[in-house]
Amino acid sequence: MISVLIPAAGSGERLGMGAKALLELRGKTLLERAVQAFAGIATEIIVALPEANLELLVQNARVVGGGATRQESVQNLLAAATGDIVLIHDAARPFLPREVIERVLEAVQRVGAATAALPVADTLVLEDSGNWGQVTDRSKMRAVQTPQGFKRSLLLEAHQKALLEGVSATDDAGLVARLGLPVALCLGDERLFKVTRAGDWALATAFAEVWDNGLSS
Ligand code: C5P
């Protein structure tokens, strides 16, 4: 059984347009797009929404209240999940190719934990007081995306440990890696970019038509 958990309770502060997951691209919210990506794969889909939007009906999904942080929202989602495998996907990534889900699922069965991740195209440098610091070897660096998949018992353990130790993380794979357990990296996708700032929104607005017409692969 596969539970798909979608944190969608962010306030969208950096975008400044209100609750980001509820913004529409060509008549569909980011959240609806994320939910629809899992059609035929999920046994259950649960979404975490801001407290102010809890009355919202999300087709094919159950709703739980979000927390003050993404990590808290995922904890609430996990508490409601029943599948032996959980796939976690941010609503802020509305364009999710099916093959990425399949790669992550295959790796979860094998390794127990897996995430989509992409090689990095830009040169990476550590900033030193506004100046060029140390260069990091970009061939070894990966930008971590979602979906991320886990055996549910493993992710529960990772979240419980993080809670006990007061550790916060921006994703779930990082919490599992803290347990000293392997997390498989599967090839992600450029189209899976996260809508965070105004430039991402502009890109998403333009790209939605290409995606909806199946012209992006
Ligand atoms: O903040 P960021 O854009 O990285 O958020 C990633 C995902 O986590 C988004 O889909 C957002 O809605 C969700 N989130 C959440 N609860 C929060 C903060 C973020 O569900 N308190």
Side-chain angles (χ1 to χ4, degrees):
M1 267 187 50
I2 299 171
S3 301
V4 170
L5 310 181
I6 303 188
S11 58
E13 214 169 286
R14 286 165 292 187
L15 195 56
M17 294 168 69
K20 186 166 59 186
L22 305 179
L23 296 177
E24 282 188 13
L25 287 171
R26 287 171 49 90
K28 262 191 250 173
T29 63
L30 301 195
L31 176 60
E32 284 166 336
R33 286 176 178 273
V35 168
Q36 284 170 10
F38 293 94
I41 288 179
T43 319
E44 63 179 3
I45 303 181
I46 314 175
V47 307
L49 287 177
E51 290 293 335
N53 303 105
L54 283 185
E55 79 296 342
L56 201 81
L57 293 175
V58 185
Q59 218 182 4
N60 300 321
R62 274 193 288 144
V63 171
V64 299
T69 62
R70 181 188 182 281
Q71 194 166 321
E72 281 179 30
S73 294
V74 173
Q75 276 162 18
N76 295 353
L77 287 163
L78 261 178
T82 59
D84 50 334
I85 300 275
V86 293
L87 283 179
I88 304 197
H89 180 62
D90 288 342
R93 299 182 189 270
F95 308 114
L96 171 53
R98 176 62 59 130
E99 58 269 24
V100 178
I101 303 177
E102 284 164 2
R103 285 197 282 268
V104 171
L105 267 180
E106 182 278 323
V108 182
Q109 308 286 0
R110 220 171 3 96
V111 179
T115 181
L118 260 194
V120 181
D122 298 320
T123 296
L124 293 176
V125 62
L126 288 171
E127 188 201 302
D128 183 2
S129 310
N131 295 318
W132 184 282
Q134 205 183 326
V135 174
T136 310
D137 178 3
R138 85 173 168 204
S139 70
K140 293 213 167 75
M141 300 302 286
R142 299 290 178 267
V144 174
Q145 302 181 316
T146 68
Q148 303 190 338
F150 310 91
K151 299 232 160 90
R152 178 163 61 100
S153 53
L154 203 70
L155 191 60
L156 268 172
E157 188 188 337
H159 269 269
Q160 275 157 6
K161 188 158 191 276
L163 195 62
L164 270 175
E165 295 174 1
V167 168
S168 58
T170 48
D171 80 333
D172 301 282
L175 294 181
V176 170
R178 279 190 76 245
L179 298 178
L181 295 170
V183 178
L185 297 182
C186 309
L187 183 62
D189 197 292
E190 288 85 1
R191 294 167 291 179
L192 250 178
F193 67 91
K194 186 160 72 163
V195 177
T196 306
R197 301 188 179 83
D200 307 316
W201 181 249
L203 182 60
T205 305
F207 182 63
E209 187 174 354
V210 177
W211 175 267
D212 289 350
N213 289 318
L215 299 174
S216 69
S217 45

PDB file of all heavy atoms in Angstrom, residues 181-207:
ATOM      1  N   LEU A 181      21.268   5.555   7.865  1.00  0.00           N
ATOM      2  CA  LEU A 181      20.740   4.591   6.899  1.00  0.00           C
ATOM      3  C   LEU A 181      20.902   5.133   5.481  1.00  0.00           C
ATOM      4  O   LEU A 181      20.931   6.351   5.277  1.00  0.00           O
ATOM      5  CB  LEU A 181      19.255   4.338   7.189  1.00  0.00           C
ATOM      6  CG  LEU A 181      19.001   3.676   8.536  1.00  0.00           C
ATOM      7  CD1 LEU A 181      17.519   3.686   8.869  1.00  0.00           C
ATOM      8  CD2 LEU A 181      19.527   2.250   8.514  1.00  0.00           C
ATOM      9  N   PRO A 182      21.014   4.232   4.485  1.00  0.00           N
ATOM     10  CA  PRO A 182      21.189   4.707   3.113  1.00  0.00           C
ATOM     11  C   PRO A 182      19.911   5.328   2.544  1.00  0.00           C
ATOM     12  O   PRO A 182      18.811   4.898   2.866  1.00  0.00           O
ATOM     13  CB  PRO A 182      21.542   3.422   2.343  1.00  0.00           C
ATOM     14  CG  PRO A 182      21.003   2.314   3.159  1.00  0.00           C
ATOM     15  CD  PRO A 182      21.008   2.765   4.589  1.00  0.00           C
ATOM     16  N   VAL A 183      20.099   6.351   1.731  1.00  0.00           N
ATOM     17  CA  VAL A 183      18.999   6.974   0.977  1.00  0.00           C
ATOM     18  C   VAL A 183      19.437   6.958  -0.491  1.00  0.00           C
ATOM     19  O   VAL A 183      20.435   7.591  -0.845  1.00  0.00           O
ATOM     20  CB  VAL A 183      18.754   8.437   1.422  1.00  0.00           C
ATOM     21  CG1 VAL A 183      17.634   9.056   0.581  1.00  0.00           C
ATOM     22  CG2 VAL A 183      18.428   8.523   2.912  1.00  0.00           C
ATOM     23  N   ALA A 184      18.712   6.234  -1.329  1.00  0.00           N
ATOM     24  CA  ALA A 184      19.084   6.160  -2.747  1.00  0.00           C
ATOM     25  C   ALA A 184      18.762   7.476  -3.446  1.00  0.00           C
ATOM     26  O   ALA A 184      17.736   8.094  -3.175  1.00  0.00           O
ATOM     27  CB  ALA A 184      18.317   5.018  -3.413  1.00  0.00           C
ATOM     28  N   LEU A 185      19.673   7.897  -4.332  1.00  0.00           N
ATOM     29  CA  LEU A 185      19.410   9.079  -5.158  1.00  0.00           C
ATOM     30  C   LEU A 185      18.960   8.601  -6.536  1.00  0.00           C
ATOM     31  O   LEU A 185      19.686   7.872  -7.212  1.00  0.00           O
ATOM     32  CB  LEU A 185      20.685   9.933  -5.294  1.00  0.00           C
ATOM     33  CG  LEU A 185      21.251  10.539  -4.011  1.00  0.00           C
ATOM     34  CD1 LEU A 185      22.475  11.388  -4.328  1.00  0.00           C
ATOM     35  CD2 LEU A 185      20.206  11.385  -3.283  1.00  0.00           C
ATOM     36  N   CYS A 186      17.774   9.013  -6.940  1.00  0.00           N
ATOM     37  CA  CYS A 186      17.248   8.664  -8.265  1.00  0.00           C
ATOM     38  C   CYS A 186      17.270   9.921  -9.117  1.00  0.00           C
ATOM     39  O   CYS A 186      17.103  11.026  -8.593  1.00  0.00           O
ATOM     40  CB  CYS A 186      15.795   8.216  -8.180  1.00  0.00           C
ATOM     41  SG  CYS A 186      15.485   6.964  -6.964  1.00  0.00           S
ATOM     42  N   LEU A 187      17.396   9.736 -10.419  1.00  0.00           N
ATOM     43  CA  LEU A 187      17.442  10.904 -11.290  1.00  0.00           C
ATOM     44  C   LEU A 187      16.113  11.672 -11.241  1.00  0.00           C
ATOM     45  O   LEU A 187      15.051  11.110 -11.487  1.00  0.00           O
ATOM     46  CB  LEU A 187      17.745  10.461 -12.732  1.00  0.00           C
ATOM     47  CG  LEU A 187      17.904  11.593 -13.737  1.00  0.00           C
ATOM     48  CD1 LEU A 187      19.077  12.505 -13.372  1.00  0.00           C
ATOM     49  CD2 LEU A 187      18.078  11.025 -15.150  1.00  0.00           C
ATOM     50  N   GLY A 188      16.212  12.960 -10.898  1.00  0.00           N
ATOM     51  CA  GLY A 188      15.032  13.820 -10.885  1.00  0.00           C
ATOM     52  C   GLY A 188      14.778  14.395 -12.270  1.00  0.00           C
ATOM     53  O   GLY A 188      15.064  13.747 -13.281  1.00  0.00           O
ATOM     54  N   ASP A 189      14.265  15.624 -12.317  1.00  0.00           N
ATOM     55  CA  ASP A 189      13.884  16.191 -13.612  1.00  0.00           C
ATOM     56  C   ASP A 189      13.856  17.718 -13.498  1.00  0.00           C
ATOM     57  O   ASP A 189      13.391  18.251 -12.490  1.00  0.00           O
ATOM     58  CB  ASP A 189      12.496  15.662 -13.985  1.00  0.00           C
ATOM     59  CG  ASP A 189      12.193  15.836 -15.452  1.00  0.00           C
ATOM     60  OD1 ASP A 189      12.041  16.994 -15.895  1.00  0.00           O
ATOM     61  OD2 ASP A 189      12.121  14.827 -16.166  1.00  0.00           O
ATOM     62  N   GLU A 190      14.341  18.384 -14.543  1.00  0.00           N
ATOM     63  CA  GLU A 190      14.344  19.862 -14.533  1.00  0.00           C
ATOM     64  C   GLU A 190      12.928  20.409 -14.413  1.00  0.00           C
ATOM     65  O   GLU A 190      12.713  21.470 -13.846  1.00  0.00           O
ATOM     66  CB  GLU A 190      14.963  20.434 -15.825  1.00  0.00           C
ATOM     67  CG  GLU A 190      16.460  20.270 -15.943  1.00  0.00           C
ATOM     68  CD  GLU A 190      16.849  18.915 -16.507  1.00  0.00           C
ATOM     69  OE1 GLU A 190      15.939  18.105 -16.823  1.00  0.00           O
ATOM     70  OE2 GLU A 190      18.060  18.659 -16.632  1.00  0.00           O
ATOM     71  N   ARG A 191      11.962  19.684 -14.969  1.00  0.00           N
ATOM     72  CA  ARG A 191      10.577  20.187 -14.947  1.00  0.00           C
ATOM     73  C   ARG A 191       9.977  20.159 -13.544  1.00  0.00           C
ATOM     74  O   ARG A 191       8.934  20.745 -13.297  1.00  0.00           O
ATOM     75  CB  ARG A 191       9.717  19.346 -15.913  1.00  0.00           C
ATOM     76  CG  ARG A 191      10.125  19.512 -17.362  1.00  0.00           C
ATOM     77  CD  ARG A 191       9.512  18.467 -18.253  1.00  0.00           C
ATOM     78  NE  ARG A 191      10.069  17.138 -17.982  1.00  0.00           N
ATOM     79  CZ  ARG A 191       9.700  16.031 -18.607  1.00  0.00           C
ATOM     80  NH1 ARG A 191       8.767  16.063 -19.533  1.00  0.00           N
ATOM     81  NH2 ARG A 191      10.265  14.873 -18.305  1.00  0.00           N
ATOM     82  N   LEU A 192      10.683  19.502 -12.647  1.00  0.00           N
ATOM     83  CA  LEU A 192      10.213  19.391 -11.258  1.00  0.00           C
ATOM     84  C   LEU A 192      10.639  20.580 -10.397  1.00  0.00           C
ATOM     85  O   LEU A 192      10.650  20.476  -9.184  1.00  0.00           O
ATOM     86  CB  LEU A 192      10.839  18.135 -10.652  1.00  0.00           C
ATOM     87  CG  LEU A 192       9.956  16.944 -10.361  1.00  0.00           C
ATOM     88  CD1 LEU A 192      10.805  15.808  -9.816  1.00  0.00           C
ATOM     89  CD2 LEU A 192       8.856  17.295  -9.406  1.00  0.00           C
ATOM     90  N   PHE A 193      11.000  21.678 -11.032  1.00  0.00           N
ATOM     91  CA  PHE A 193      11.492  22.833 -10.258  1.00  0.00           C
ATOM     92  C   PHE A 193      10.451  23.283  -9.227  1.00  0.00           C
ATOM     93  O   PHE A 193       9.251  23.116  -9.434  1.00  0.00           O
ATOM     94  CB  PHE A 193      11.867  24.000 -11.195  1.00  0.00           C
ATOM     95  CG  PHE A 193      10.716  24.622 -11.924  1.00  0.00           C
ATOM     96  CD1 PHE A 193      10.028  25.697 -11.392  1.00  0.00           C
ATOM     97  CD2 PHE A 193      10.299  24.128 -13.161  1.00  0.00           C
ATOM     98  CE1 PHE A 193       8.965  26.278 -12.065  1.00  0.00           C
ATOM     99  CE2 PHE A 193       9.241  24.692 -13.848  1.00  0.00           C
ATOM    100  CZ  PHE A 193       8.573  25.777 -13.291  1.00  0.00           C
ATOM    101  N   LYS A 194      10.949  23.827  -8.122  1.00  0.00           N
ATOM    102  CA  LYS A 194      10.055  24.266  -7.041  1.00  0.00           C
ATOM    103  C   LYS A 194       9.645  25.719  -7.259  1.00  0.00           C
ATOM    104  O   LYS A 194      10.504  26.580  -7.455  1.00  0.00           O
ATOM    105  CB  LYS A 194      10.752  24.114  -5.684  1.00  0.00           C
ATOM    106  CG  LYS A 194       9.808  24.412  -4.530  1.00  0.00           C
ATOM    107  CD  LYS A 194      10.295  23.833  -3.223  1.00  0.00           C
ATOM    108  CE  LYS A 194      11.477  24.606  -2.710  1.00  0.00           C
ATOM    109  NZ  LYS A 194      11.725  24.347  -1.299  1.00  0.00           N
ATOM    110  N   VAL A 195       8.365  25.984  -7.220  1.00  0.00           N
ATOM    111  CA  VAL A 195       7.871  27.357  -7.353  1.00  0.00           C
ATOM    112  C   VAL A 195       8.098  28.048  -6.007  1.00  0.00           C
ATOM    113  O   VAL A 195       7.413  27.750  -5.027  1.00  0.00           O
ATOM    114  CB  VAL A 195       6.374  27.370  -7.738  1.00  0.00           C
ATOM    115  CG1 VAL A 195       5.865  28.805  -7.794  1.00  0.00           C
ATOM    116  CG2 VAL A 195       6.159  26.667  -9.068  1.00  0.00           C
ATOM    117  N   THR A 196       9.094  28.907  -5.972  1.00  0.00           N
ATOM    118  CA  THR A 196       9.456  29.563  -4.716  1.00  0.00           C
ATOM    119  C   THR A 196       9.363  31.082  -4.835  1.00  0.00           C
ATOM    120  O   THR A 196       8.720  31.735  -4.011  1.00  0.00           O
ATOM    121  CB  THR A 196      10.905  29.180  -4.311  1.00  0.00           C
ATOM    122  OG1 THR A 196      11.017  27.763  -4.273  1.00  0.00           O
ATOM    123  CG2 THR A 196      11.255  29.739  -2.937  1.00  0.00           C
ATOM    124  N   ARG A 197       9.998  31.626  -5.872  1.00  0.00           N
ATOM    125  CA  ARG A 197      10.051  33.087  -6.003  1.00  0.00           C
ATOM    126  C   ARG A 197       9.302  33.534  -7.255  1.00  0.00           C
ATOM    127  O   ARG A 197       8.836  32.704  -8.040  1.00  0.00           O
ATOM    128  CB  ARG A 197      11.500  33.538  -6.067  1.00  0.00           C
ATOM    129  CG  ARG A 197      12.280  33.119  -4.823  1.00  0.00           C
ATOM    130  CD  ARG A 197      13.661  33.718  -4.773  1.00  0.00           C
ATOM    131  NE  ARG A 197      14.336  33.295  -3.557  1.00  0.00           N
ATOM    132  CZ  ARG A 197      14.983  32.128  -3.430  1.00  0.00           C
ATOM    133  NH1 ARG A 197      15.054  31.300  -4.453  1.00  0.00           N
ATOM    134  NH2 ARG A 197      15.544  31.788  -2.283  1.00  0.00           N
ATOM    135  N   ALA A 198       9.234  34.862  -7.436  1.00  0.00           N
ATOM    136  CA  ALA A 198       8.456  35.423  -8.548  1.00  0.00           C
ATOM    137  C   ALA A 198       8.931  34.873  -9.895  1.00  0.00           C
ATOM    138  O   ALA A 198       8.114  34.594 -10.787  1.00  0.00           O
ATOM    139  CB  ALA A 198       8.563  36.944  -8.526  1.00  0.00           C
ATOM    140  N   GLY A 199      10.228  34.685 -10.060  1.00  0.00           N
ATOM    141  CA  GLY A 199      10.752  34.171 -11.325  1.00  0.00           C
ATOM    142  C   GLY A 199      10.262  32.754 -11.608  1.00  0.00           C
ATOM    143  O   GLY A 199       9.992  32.393 -12.762  1.00  0.00           O
ATOM    144  N   ASP A 200      10.143  31.936 -10.544  1.00  0.00           N
ATOM    145  CA  ASP A 200       9.639  30.567 -10.710  1.00  0.00           C
ATOM    146  C   ASP A 200       8.173  30.595 -11.137  1.00  0.00           C
ATOM    147  O   ASP A 200       7.722  29.767 -11.923  1.00  0.00           O
ATOM    148  CB  ASP A 200       9.745  29.773  -9.395  1.00  0.00           C
ATOM    149  CG  ASP A 200      11.138  29.801  -8.819  1.00  0.00           C
ATOM    150  OD1 ASP A 200      12.095  29.637  -9.586  1.00  0.00           O
ATOM    151  OD2 ASP A 200      11.261  30.013  -7.594  1.00  0.00           O
ATOM    152  N   TRP A 201       7.443  31.550 -10.569  1.00  0.00           N
ATOM    153  CA  TRP A 201       6.019  31.657 -10.900  1.00  0.00           C
ATOM    154  C   TRP A 201       5.859  32.032 -12.379  1.00  0.00           C
ATOM    155  O   TRP A 201       5.025  31.465 -13.093  1.00  0.00           O
ATOM    156  CB  TRP A 201       5.328  32.680  -9.985  1.00  0.00           C
ATOM    157  CG  TRP A 201       3.873  32.800 -10.288  1.00  0.00           C
ATOM    158  CD1 TRP A 201       3.228  33.866 -10.849  1.00  0.00           C
ATOM    159  CD2 TRP A 201       2.868  31.787 -10.079  1.00  0.00           C
ATOM    160  NE1 TRP A 201       1.899  33.580 -11.015  1.00  0.00           N
ATOM    161  CE2 TRP A 201       1.641  32.321 -10.538  1.00  0.00           C
ATOM    162  CE3 TRP A 201       2.894  30.493  -9.562  1.00  0.00           C
ATOM    163  CZ2 TRP A 201       0.452  31.598 -10.490  1.00  0.00           C
ATOM    164  CZ3 TRP A 201       1.700  29.782  -9.513  1.00  0.00           C
ATOM    165  CH2 TRP A 201       0.504  30.332  -9.971  1.00  0.00           C
ATOM    166  N   ALA A 202       6.690  32.965 -12.821  1.00  0.00           N
ATOM    167  CA  ALA A 202       6.640  33.383 -14.229  1.00  0.00           C
ATOM    168  C   ALA A 202       6.946  32.178 -15.127  1.00  0.00           C
ATOM    169  O   ALA A 202       6.264  31.938 -16.136  1.00  0.00           O
ATOM    170  CB  ALA A 202       7.639  34.508 -14.471  1.00  0.00           C
ATOM    171  N   LEU A 203       7.951  31.410 -14.743  1.00  0.00           N
ATOM    172  CA  LEU A 203       8.331  30.229 -15.524  1.00  0.00           C
ATOM    173  C   LEU A 203       7.186  29.204 -15.528  1.00  0.00           C
ATOM    174  O   LEU A 203       6.823  28.656 -16.581  1.00  0.00           O
ATOM    175  CB  LEU A 203       9.601  29.613 -14.920  1.00  0.00           C
ATOM    176  CG  LEU A 203      10.185  28.402 -15.615  1.00  0.00           C
ATOM    177  CD1 LEU A 203      10.565  28.740 -17.055  1.00  0.00           C
ATOM    178  CD2 LEU A 203      11.420  27.899 -14.857  1.00  0.00           C
ATOM    179  N   ALA A 204       6.613  28.972 -14.342  1.00  0.00           N
ATOM    180  CA  ALA A 204       5.528  27.984 -14.225  1.00  0.00           C
ATOM    181  C   ALA A 204       4.323  28.408 -15.067  1.00  0.00           C
ATOM    182  O   ALA A 204       3.686  27.570 -15.723  1.00  0.00           O
ATOM    183  CB  ALA A 204       5.120  27.829 -12.758  1.00  0.00           C
ATOM    184  N   THR A 205       4.024  29.706 -15.067  1.00  0.00           N
ATOM    185  CA  THR A 205       2.884  30.220 -15.836  1.00  0.00           C
ATOM    186  C   THR A 205       3.089  29.945 -17.328  1.00  0.00           C
ATOM    187  O   THR A 205       2.185  29.515 -18.033  1.00  0.00           O
ATOM    188  CB  THR A 205       2.738  31.740 -15.600  1.00  0.00           C
ATOM    189  OG1 THR A 205       2.653  31.948 -14.196  1.00  0.00           O
ATOM    190  CG2 THR A 205       1.495  32.298 -16.252  1.00  0.00           C
ATOM    191  N   ALA A 206       4.313  30.192 -17.792  1.00  0.00           N
ATOM    192  CA  ALA A 206       4.597  29.977 -19.214  1.00  0.00           C
ATOM    193  C   ALA A 206       4.662  28.482 -19.543  1.00  0.00           C
ATOM    194  O   ALA A 206       4.178  28.036 -20.585  1.00  0.00           O
ATOM    195  CB  ALA A 206       5.915  30.662 -19.578  1.00  0.00           C
ATOM    196  N   PHE A 207       5.233  27.706 -18.629  1.00  0.00           N
ATOM    197  CA  PHE A 207       5.479  26.285 -18.903  1.00  0.00           C
ATOM    198  C   PHE A 207       4.203  25.441 -18.844  1.00  0.00           C
ATOM    199  O   PHE A 207       4.106  24.394 -19.500  1.00  0.00           O
ATOM    200  CB  PHE A 207       6.515  25.743 -17.912  1.00  0.00           C
ATOM    201  CG  PHE A 207       6.866  24.305 -18.139  1.00  0.00           C
ATOM    202  CD1 PHE A 207       7.466  23.897 -19.325  1.00  0.00           C
ATOM    203  CD2 PHE A 207       6.589  23.342 -17.177  1.00  0.00           C
ATOM    204  CE1 PHE A 207       7.775  22.568 -19.547  1.00  0.00           C
ATOM    205  CE2 PHE A 207       6.899  22.011 -17.388  1.00  0.00           C
ATOM    206  CZ  PHE A 207       7.493  21.626 -18.580  1.00  0.00           C
TER     207      PHE A 207
END
